[in-house]
Amino acid sequence: MRKVMPPIRVPFSWGLGAVAALLPLSLAVIIIFLLQAAWPAIAFNGWGFLIHNSWNLGNMYADPMTVRGIEVLPRANYGVLFLIVGTVLTSLIALALALPIGIYAAIFLAEGLRGWPRMVGSFLVELLAAVPSVVYGLWGYLVLIPFLGKYLFPWLAHTLGVVLPIFRGPLGSGYGLLTAGIVLALMVVPLITASLRDAIVATPLALREAGMSMGASRMEVMRRIILPGQKPLLVGVAILALGRALGETMAVLMVSGNALNSLPTNIYDSVSTMASFIASQLDSAMQDPTGMAVHALAEVALLLMLISILVNAIARGLLWLSGNRA
Amino acid sequence: MNGNHRMMASKTPTRSFVINPMRRLVDALSWGLAALSFALLIFALLHILVYVFMKGYPALNLKIFTEDTQGIAGGLRNALIGSIVLSAFALLMAVPIGVSAGVYLSEHGAGWAGKISRFLSDVLVGVPSIVLGYFGYIVMVIGFGWKFSLLAGAITLAILMLPYIARTSEMALRAVPQTLREAAYGLGCPEWRLVLRVLLPAARIPILTGILMALAIALGETAPLLYTAGWSNYLWTGHFTHEGVGYLTYVIWSFIGEPYQSAHQLAYAAAFLITLMVLLINISARVLLLKWRR
Amino acid sequence: MLKMSKTMRGTAVAVLAGVAIMASGAAMAGTVSVLETGSSLLYPLFNLWQPVYTKENPNVQLTTASTGSGTGQAQSMQGLAQIGASDAYLSDAQMKQHPSMLNIPMAISSQMVNYNVPGLNGAHLKLSGPVLAGIYSGKITHWNDAAIAKLNPSVKLPDHAIITAHRTDGSGDTFIFTQYLTASTPSWASDYSYGVTVSWAPVQGNIGAVGNPGMVDAIKNNPYSIAYIGVSFKKQIMDDKLGEARLENKDGKFVLPEIKNVKAAAAAMVPKSPADQRVSLIFAPGAESYPIINYEYALVDAKQPSAEMAATLKKFLTWAISSKGGNAEHFMQEVNFVALPPSVVKQSEAQIAKISG
């Protein structure tokens, strides 16, 4: 077959650029769409959306009425503070658990193991990130919740609860804030462990030797010299992990207790997160004949998206500054 | 590793032999915590896997593979095929676009346009999958009138996979030695031929690994599919729109909450199958990469 | 990519071949797929119907999904599902938006108020609308509250906080439960009213559950809890030895959701059904009437995209409401429903006749 030069005159790279532009473009399209879908809700809810605890579609069997030129059901009122609080708290608990465990596990992998045991160990930890969200939900629902509700929560209330009020009862049944936090921690911990392990392994030998020659033990070198040097990386990765936890849906939906309109009073209380709420409420919202509930849900999605983008942008910026790319 | 530690310490002169019990205690505690943290993670992973396999394996039988779901009983043929078909079509869309974007970022990504697209695709990775699902529902399912359908589900999954594929392809291509490019250009090779004949073949294994990882993520997703692919008790009939598609993760999520034993068995079997698939993909990706590095 | 290892290519080919073989049994020509989604209360009945009906009519593919009445309403109005299952009829505003929607009763159902109070689960505690409204609005917080004690003078009630369970998904059970509270308690009517989704008061320790299965689970796992659960889950409630409350009816009598009480209430309310059958059967008069009963609706668009779909739906729905088909006693008994009385079957048939393609 005779080779034929492509008839296109446009440089090849332009074509590549056009295809590559699809990625940022899809991001822009999603944001524009969400903004458009959320607009009536933003106009109707105002700032109250962020500071009230009220997800109220209104009286569904009454006739719609017009408020400030917007058609809504009587008594419709939307405030999602409880979702914002639930999302932030579950993610922060996840981070508080995942950071120390992730860091220590990375130290163990980098310093305690070598050769194929390190490789297999690292792979196993990274597999934690590969387990599907819904499988975490299943395991959380069938294994973790009964265990926490029966053993860990009562124990925590008896020990930590004596000192810290947020650990005091009522204990609930195992669904809730702490449970969601634990599941999320397992899902994001590989991110922390893998990045830090790589960074430790890549630490210049000279730095270790310098520390050792001063009489420091390996662990002291780690704690005093290597880890402080990885602070920017750790902060970046931690925020990245936070971003992932914020948007997690199925596992949280299955273990969080799905509270409505109420803020948690202790660490065992049920919560809802923005992501899980969108999953569980979209169809209920669709029944609102005025469409306001769908707009309000789009506003939740927009809020979640903006928070995720912000968190991710900060994390990427920090990682970029620290010269790492996770 | 404790012995290891002592051995290393003994090499260091003078001061480490001045026994400071406090320092030793802190050291031992730190090692203990490190080992404990690692053990905890491994235990959690193994517990999840063993639990899913122990519950799921007995729930498997021939019917699971040969029959479709009947309400909350029957088999999982429809869901298994549905999961594969959804991911396959998502791959079909995401791979050409993702790899091309990766080529662009690696070969022309030095300028501001490249930096911005790289940053934005990293941000796109962070968009929660449920937001993508919401987008797919309102735009494709309702807006375009496709209803619950293969196409709506596959496109949503493709958007989800795109940034992963793009970024891993970029990394893979960047690792290709610069000399190869110089040699090709020196021979008067046009860029398209350089990319297709030199760069992509040279980086094929890491690119493939990235694609496999994206596939594993897509197979395990639930949230973006609930409102785009919907659900069906029947095998995919070949229609791209207007007909829901079943998938395994739906069975896990939906059937475990039903108070019937038959529903639970299906959920366990589905969890077993999806976890096994994701696990195998992850292991083969890892093995591929290791073999290639050697 | 050409140098992809042989084993890998072999695996890929094997996987594809496997998929092809498994898929080859599918895609028979001339089949019609019908999607039913919605009420978790109707779901068990549809799952009983599905294998029987599709065996007799192999050209029909019937997919069932338990998603909540809210989903049934939303997806049937949008044309995503051919049959939206709902314990609640569509509102006036929804009908105005989708005038071609039909609300066709499939059966008569009732709702239990269940509780888990250790030691008292066999006692059938007496509860009234105002007491339930007090509990669900957070005004009555303990089981030994004077209002509950007054209804149950001979029972020793525990001094323990009440854990309320409510549905977080759009639910017809929420609809009929809050209709009962609205009809019996003026303060509930003005503060909360009724609907498929209600803005629940933030009662301490309350549990949001998804679907009737989630409600059963919630009270099973939480002692001192209370929930409203569709009667098709009665078997699970009995298996788990949970409590079933006697509710105060309009005549001030306390009754259980037994078939004879449901039939008594139906006899009082059914004659009031208008031609479009959108009617509340709640809080029926009569000494024996159980206060929370309702029609289980199939929400169907009268205007179908094809004549084939219209004919399929007509045939299926006619079968479903017939006493020789879906309303046969063995189906009804399994889920504790009551078959439609002949006058309602006539009305439903008239509505089914309006479906066209």
Side-chain angles (χ1 to χ4, degrees), chain A residues 53-64 71 73 75 77 141 145 169-175 253 256-263 265-266 269-270 272 277 280-291 294, chain C residues 67 69-71 73-75 77-78 80 88-94 96-97 166-171 175 189-210 217-218 221-222 278:
Chain A
N53 286 315
S54 149
W55 182 266
N56 188 348
L57 304 195
N59 193 343
M60 309 225 20
Y61 281 77
D63 283 327
E71 199 187 39
L73 290 170
R75 285 210 326 264
N77 187 10
Y141 174 78
I145 285 176
L171 297 177
S173 57
Y175 291 91
L253 187 59
S256 69
N258 299 312
L260 185 71
N261 296 343
S262 62
L263 296 177
T265 55
N266 63 21
D269 217 348
S270 0
S272 289
F277 197 72
S280 72
Q281 295 298 313
L282 184 50
D283 266 314
S284 310
M286 286 278 175
Q287 312 155 60
D288 182 345
T290 67
V294 176
Chain C
T67 49
S69 297
T71 307
Q73 293 190 355
Q75 296 191 354
M77 287 189 290
Q78 285 154 358
L80 294 179
Y89 49 84
L90 297 176
S91 73
D92 291 345
Q94 286 170 322
K96 211 181 274 171
Q97 268 195 338
H166 59 79
R167 294 275 292 272
T168 53
D169 52 334
S171 155
F175 172 79
S190 59
D191 291 350
Y192 299 93
S193 187
Y194 60 90
V196 182
T197 310
V198 172
S199 187
W200 296 104
V203 177
Q204 169 68 37
N206 75 87
I207 303 170
V210 177
D217 239 34
N221 296 331
N222 291 285
R278 293 191 303 133

Side-chain angles (χ1 to χ4, degrees), chain A residues 133-202:
Chain A
S133 177
V134 69
V135 174
Y136 270 108
L138 182 84
W139 179 76
Y141 174 78
L142 294 170
V143 178
L144 201 58
I145 285 176
F147 169 75
L148 296 180
K150 253 184 225 147
Y151 303 104
L152 191 73
F153 286 2
W155 181 78
L156 281 178
H158 279 291
T159 52
L160 284 175
V162 180
V163 203
L164 295 168
I166 57 159
F167 283 97
R168 268 172 223 162
L171 297 177
S173 57
Y175 291 91
L177 194 53
L178 185 55
T179 316
I182 292 173
V183 172
L184 285 175
L186 285 174
M187 301 177 82
V188 301
V189 81
L191 199 63
I192 297 167
T193 304
S195 319
L196 186 62
R197 183 209 58 218
D198 288 347
I200 295 175
V201 171

Side-chain angles (χ1 to χ4, degrees), chain C residues 28-292:
Chain C
M28 281 176 295
T31 56
V32 183
S33 332
V34 175
L35 172 62
E36 175 273 330
T37 193
S39 167
S40 58
L41 183 51
L42 252 175
Y43 184 63
L45 181 59
F46 265 94
N47 278 337
L48 293 174
W49 286 349
Q50 194 250 5
V52 177
Y53 188 77
T54 51
K55 199 167 199 180
E56 288 171 19
N57 301 272
N59 64 324
V60 178
Q61 298 196 332
L62 182 62
T63 290
T64 56
S66 168
T67 49
S69 297
T71 307
Q73 293 190 355
Q75 296 191 354
S76 60
M77 287 189 290
Q78 285 154 358
L80 294 179
Q82 283 73 34
I83 301 174
S86 175
D87 322 332
Y89 49 84
L90 297 176
S91 73
D92 291 345
Q94 286 170 322
M95 289 304 290
K96 211 181 274 171
Q97 268 195 338
H98 303 277
S100 60
M101 288 301 295
L102 302 172
N103 302 255
I104 308 166
M106 296 276 103
I108 291 172
S109 167
S110 57
Q111 181 178 73
M112 310 172 279
V113 170
N114 298 106
Y115 59 84
N116 183 2
V117 179
L120 298 179
N121 284 358
H124 294 304
L125 289 179
K126 290 178 181 173
L127 296 172
S128 67
V131 163
L132 285 169
I135 291 172
Y136 272 89
S137 58
K139 287 175 197 133
I140 296 175
T141 57
H142 281 71
W143 280 104
N144 62 351
D145 189 282
I148 304 177
K150 201 176 154 207
L151 299 181
N152 301 280
S154 56
V155 180
K156 195 176 174 321
L157 293 158
D159 180 15
H160 197 287
I162 305 173
I163 299 169
T164 59
H166 59 79
R167 294 275 292 272
T168 53
D169 52 334
S171 155
D173 286 291
T174 300
F175 172 79
I176 53 179
F177 182 66
T178 50
Q179 264 194 339
Y180 172 54
L181 301 186
T182 300
S184 60
T185 318
S187 68
W188 184 274
S190 59
D191 291 350
Y192 299 93
S193 187
Y194 60 90
V196 182
T197 310
V198 172
S199 187
W200 296 104
V203 177
Q204 169 68 37
N206 75 87
I207 303 170
V210 177
N212 275 308
M215 292 288 259
V216 176
D217 239 34
I219 59 166
K220 188 166 83 184
N221 296 331
N222 291 285
Y224 305 102
S225 57
I226 187 165
Y228 51 91
I229 295 169
V231 76
S232 55
F233 288 80
K234 192 165 192 154
K235 194 173 167 305
Q236 277 74 38
I237 293 292
M238 279 163 44
D239 288 350
D240 292 327
K241 299 201 165 50
L242 298 166
E244 186 181 63
R246 276 180 283 190
L247 297 188
E248 187 182 37
N249 65 18
K250 202 168 194 172
D251 287 15
K253 298 282 190 301
F254 291 85
V255 286
L256 284 169
E258 279 162 0
I259 297 296
K260 68 175 168 64
N261 304 101
V262 175
K263 281 187 168 157
M269 299 303 276
V270 157
K272 295 177 185 163
S273 294
D276 73 355
Q277 296 181 292
R278 293 191 303 133
V279 68
S280 166
L281 308 181
I282 298 293
F283 217 36
E288 288 212 313
S289 295
Y290 186 73
I292 314 182

Side-chain angles (χ1 to χ4, degrees), chain B residues 10 27 37 40 61-62 79 81 84 137-138 143 166 182 187 191 203 224 235 246 253 257 262 273 280 288:
Chain B
S10 66
D27 234 46
S37 300
L40 194 70
N61 51 50
L62 196 63
I81 302 277
I84 294 171
Y137 185 52
I138 309 276
E182 283 159 7
L187 290 170
E191 194 194 355
L235 266 183
W253 145 245
S262 67
L273 291 175
L280 286 179
L288 259 176

